Amino acid sequence: MPTAARSQAPAAVARAGSPCQGNPDALGISRVVEIDTTGGPGFGFEQFKTHDFLQEGEVVLTFDDGPWPKNTPSVLAALAFHCTKAIFFPIGLHATYEPSILKRVAAAGHAIGSHTWCHQDLSKTKGTCQTNGKRETVEYDPKDEIEKGISAVHWAVGGPTAPYFRFPALRQSPELVDYLGKRNIAIFSADMDSFDFKMRKPEQVRQSVMAKLKKHGKGIVLMHDFQHATAEATADLLKDLKAGGYKVVFMKPKFAVTTIPAYDDMILKQMKTAGADGRLTSSVVRTISD
């Protein structure tokens, strides 16, 4: 594989005991760990038992299925207010819809992995994909679904992204685990799944996460910035974590993911056909008089 590019450095973060502008009671970040993804290590005790690096009371915040209007920005605002960081696993198709939101995620210093092109079950080769409001039956090669998602996220961010991947529904196969290992991409399972996609009320999300943390004591938490209830819950959930004495650990990648040119070209061709150019609207349209 080609030599990986340098990963982007996260923005300044509030460590335990350091000030966070506008929020003296911020959750902050207790520590930053660097992750060497060579060989594709796995994280999250639901499926991987090897790398137990979290101490009691430590949590890693992760969000799947974005970016999504209103919901992802709400999550970002809550994280910023608490001067803390998370890992995002965007869907490639969603990334092409809302590249400006994903650029904001990157600019805030969060880690951005990938979560396939259209959230397909990678234990199968046939499913459905909703594009522009229309759901269609599709056939796919699981490796294509992975790589197209990685390239789409990279295109949307317009810069380095993390060599982190999460299987939809955490359904993985030995063949694909081996494939990601050869690509030097870490696989993220979870220590606790909030199941927030089944919830409609923010307090349900908060109760789910806090109850599971009380049971397990620490861990990688799986949530969804795609979900409205989660977006509404995040600000208060971070307060709950602070009040409960929990500390956030940020998993910073040692190097960026290396995309495959053929899939990059595929995304570029698709976006040109759709009329997109990858630039933020604010860089194309600027008010000079009002």
Side-chain angles (χ1 to χ4, degrees):
M1 305 305 298
T3 302
R6 289 186 304 169
S7 61
Q8 59 188 10
V13 296
R15 306 285 182 159
S18 68
C20 177
Q21 187 174 2
N23 185 8
D25 298 317
L27 184 58
I29 292 178
S30 64
R31 63 186 178 119
V32 177
V33 295
E34 184 180 75
I35 305 300
D36 184 346
T37 63
T38 302
F43 299 96
F45 266 41
E46 283 200 20
Q47 290 162 304
F48 303 103
K49 312 296 184 185
T50 302
H51 301 295
D52 184 12
F53 67 95
L54 292 176
Q55 300 167 11
E56 190 71 14
E58 290 187 331
V59 298
V60 175
L61 303 172
T62 72
F63 295 91
D64 291 7
D65 293 1
W68 205 249
K70 296 184 179 180
N71 295 345
T72 304
S74 292
V75 171
L76 286 176
L79 293 169
F81 184 66
H82 274 271
C83 293
T84 195
K85 296 287 181 281
I87 305 173
F88 287 79
F89 293 93
I91 294 172
L93 183 60
H94 289 178
T96 66
Y97 290 161
E98 298 292 341
S100 63
I101 297 178
L102 211 51
K103 286 179 171 66
R104 289 173 57 185
V105 177
H110 303 289
I112 302 175
S114 60
H115 195 44
T116 73
W117 165 250
C118 194
H119 207 267
Q120 300 295 348
D121 182 343
L122 298 186
S123 67
K124 303 177 181 179
T125 58
K126 188 175 182 179
T128 61
C129 183
Q130 184 168 321
T131 306
N132 295 321
K134 184 179 180 181
R135 183 163 293 280
E136 299 176 327
T137 299
V138 294
E139 293 186 8
Y140 54 89
D141 180 302
K143 292 178 183 178
D144 291 343
E145 177 75 6
I146 291 172
E147 294 296 351
K148 192 174 179 183
I150 292 171
S151 288
V153 168
H154 186 267
W155 170 86
V157 171
T161 54
Y164 296 167
F165 179 80
R166 180 173 272 155
F167 284 90
L170 305 182
R171 293 177 183 169
Q172 61 189 45
S173 69
E175 178 189 16
L176 293 176
V177 169
D178 182 64
Y179 175 76
L180 289 165
K182 292 176 181 176
R183 291 278 280 113
N184 296 323
I185 295 173
I187 302 170
F188 278 73
S189 180
D191 292 314
M192 58 204 76
D193 189 339
S194 66
F195 291 106
D196 54 353
F197 59 90
K198 297 182 178 181
M199 301 168 186
R200 295 294 177 265
K201 297 180 179 179
E203 55 267 30
Q204 293 175 313
V205 179
R206 292 169 59 193
Q207 290 168 3
S208 172
V209 172
M210 297 307 296
K212 290 180 179 181
L213 273 174
K214 184 177 180 180
K215 177 181 179 180
H216 295 281
K218 62 179 182 179
I220 297 172
V221 182
L222 193 165
M223 296 176 283
H224 298 80
D225 55 311
F226 177 77
Q227 299 295 329
H228 182 65
T230 301
E232 288 194 325
T234 302
D236 286 333
L237 174 61
L238 297 179
K239 292 180 182 178
D240 293 341
L241 292 173
K242 176 70 174 181
Y246 294 100
K247 298 179 180 180
V248 172
V249 173
F250 179 55
M251 297 174 69
K252 176 184 178 294
K254 184 177 182 179
F255 49 79
V257 71
T258 302
T259 59
I260 295 177
Y263 291 96
D264 292 340
D265 292 342
M266 191 182 302
I267 295 299
L268 284 174
K269 183 178 180 180
Q270 180 165 332
M271 297 318 298
K272 286 179 180 179
T273 301
D277 59 16
R279 295 171 62 194
L280 287 170
T281 298
S282 59
S283 70
V284 178
V285 181
R286 180 172 64 91
T287 300
I288 58 174
S289 177
D290 56 13

